Amino acid sequence: ELLSSDQWLGVVLEAERKNRLRLRDTQDPLQKEMEGQSLLLAGTSRGFLVLVDHEDGSARYSVKAHEGSVTMIACNPRRSQVISASTGNVVNIWRLYPHTQEALSLMMSFRITSCPSLMVASRERLCIACNDHIMGSYSLDMYSLTEQTCFTGQPEHSHSDAITGLDSYPRLKLFASCGKDHTLRIWSEDNHPIRVLQLNVAPEGLAFSSHDAHITLSLHAHLHTVINTTYIPEPLQKQLVSIQFPKGVEEGSPRGFTVDLETLPPEDRQRLELVDNTIQQDSYKGALSQE
């Protein structure tokens, strides 16, 4: 019986191997070359979106996306979407077919009031930050990619100076923004303010940097982490605890990578010796909005 089982397993494995070979031989050449690779997209001043070859920088595929220059591209990998914006204040949503000759197909297009400064997509939501220095308006708007509705931010909750950073945390449906008004702001997917953290310097950028929703801020020449308990309300903290994350290298465990400081150039060693951690956690002052 055991021998019979092993023989049958061998038949199954051989059939799977032959099927993979058959699919490989019938694949599109572009698909075979790009299988397992990340995609590199670029926007041009002539309004084209270009799929760029990783190795030689040549254009594998291009499509006329906008009448004006392409100013920004965002991706929504969970929905296989690419979002592009142009100087004509037009935003296009594209469906991405990564392993085909016609890689991009236009899904929808809409116009906004000013040219986007930052964009980030998170599943069914697209968040766009616009810095209008002439009007003194620094707005943050959420767009539903399924219902085609817009959640406009309220002026009293908006940044009072230019928005410099924008990112999303899809698992909790949160968005984060920072600006030259020395604030870090957390938003719901319906554009309601959740928390405002007052900083003692103006951040130049931010990113959700871990599965646990910690935020990394760029402050001058340093990176600083805002832990999740600083800004996430208690109900969402309980929800975060219940989320199952993929297994990986635990935080604080050895990465198997060390650097001998003596082997570094003098200027690099000097930068490490001058690292200043003066901006500590106590410098963040949280304030829950009334909503």
Side-chain angles (χ1 to χ4, degrees):
E1 182 178 357
L2 180 60
L3 179 62
S4 175
S5 298
D6 287 347
Q7 289 176 342
W8 176 246
L9 179 60
V11 172
V12 173
L13 293 177
E14 179 65 16
E16 289 183 351
R17 186 186 69 83
K18 291 182 177 179
N19 187 49
R20 286 195 299 269
L21 291 175
R22 180 182 60 80
L23 291 176
R24 185 188 65 182
D25 294 337
T26 57
Q27 270 183 335
D28 184 272
L30 180 64
Q31 179 175 355
K32 288 195 292 185
E33 292 181 24
M34 297 179 58
E35 190 71 43
Q37 294 184 5
S38 298
L39 300 180
L40 178 60
L41 285 168
T44 73
S45 59
R46 298 174 59 190
F48 283 87
L49 284 178
V50 181
L51 183 61
V52 182
D53 186 277
H54 288 259
E55 297 181 357
D56 58 15
S58 62
R60 287 181 173 271
Y61 168 77
S62 65
V63 62
K64 180 66 173 177
H66 297 273
E67 293 301 322
S69 301
V70 178
T71 58
M72 195 159 299
I73 300 174
C75 63
N76 190 7
R78 294 293 185 89
R79 299 294 180 266
S80 297
Q81 293 173 342
V82 172
I83 300 95
S84 61
S86 71
T87 52
N89 302 343
V90 174
V91 176
N92 288 342
I93 314 295
W94 304 85
R95 173 75 179 186
L96 177 64
Y97 300 95
H99 305 310
T100 62
Q101 292 292 345
E102 300 295 328
L104 293 171
S105 175
L106 184 62
M107 296 176 61
M108 70 175 77
S109 179
F110 58 92
R111 187 178 298 273
I112 58 179
T113 56
S114 58
C115 186
S117 301
L118 297 166
M119 292 195 310
V120 63
S122 177
R123 295 181 180 174
E124 287 80 21
R125 287 289 188 272
L126 171 65
C127 183
I128 298 179
C130 296
N131 294 324
D132 191 336
H133 299 285
I134 297 178
M135 300 297 296
S137 172
Y138 310 99
S139 61
L140 202 70
D141 295 325
M142 306 281 184
Y143 296 86
S144 171
L145 299 178
T146 55
E147 301 173 359
Q148 301 184 19
T149 56
C150 176
F151 301 90
T152 305
Q154 299 301 316
E156 61 268 22
H157 299 309
S158 300
H159 286 273
S160 58
D161 206 337
I163 301 171
T164 57
L166 183 65
D167 202 5
S168 66
Y169 186 76
R171 287 185 173 90
L172 292 180
K173 300 179 180 180
L174 294 178
F175 291 83
S177 64
C178 63
K180 291 184 178 180
D181 57 357
H182 293 206
T183 63
L184 166 64
R185 299 170 186 261
I186 310 299
W187 311 86
S188 71
E189 66 173 354
D190 295 331
N191 213 1
H192 295 304
I194 294 177
R195 193 179 293 271
V196 179
L197 300 181
Q198 187 67 45
L199 312 179
N200 56 6
V201 292
E204 288 107 22
L206 64 79
F208 283 99
S209 53
S210 74
H211 289 308
D212 297 325
H214 302 322
I215 295 176
T216 297
L217 285 172
S218 170
L219 303 173
H220 295 315
H222 303 287
L223 297 176
H224 296 266
T225 298
V226 182
I227 62 174
N228 53 28
T229 54
T230 306
Y231 70 89
I232 296 181
E234 185 175 349
L236 289 181
Q237 288 185 29
K238 295 179 180 179
Q239 183 178 342
L240 182 63
V241 171
S242 66
I243 295 177
Q244 297 293 326
F245 297 109
K247 293 183 179 180
V249 179
E250 294 183 359
E251 226 172 356
S253 63
R255 293 294 196 270
F257 177 80
T258 59
V259 175
D260 186 359
L261 295 182
E262 297 301 325
T263 63
L264 295 176
E267 58 271 18
D268 290 339
R269 289 203 306 270
Q270 184 180 7
R271 277 199 292 268
L272 288 174
E273 293 170 356
L274 294 177
V275 170
D276 185 9
N277 294 321
T278 56
I279 304 178
Q280 300 295 337
Q281 185 63 43
D282 294 339
S283 65
Y284 300 102
K285 298 179 182 178
L288 279 172
S289 67
Q290 294 181 356
E291 295 185 19

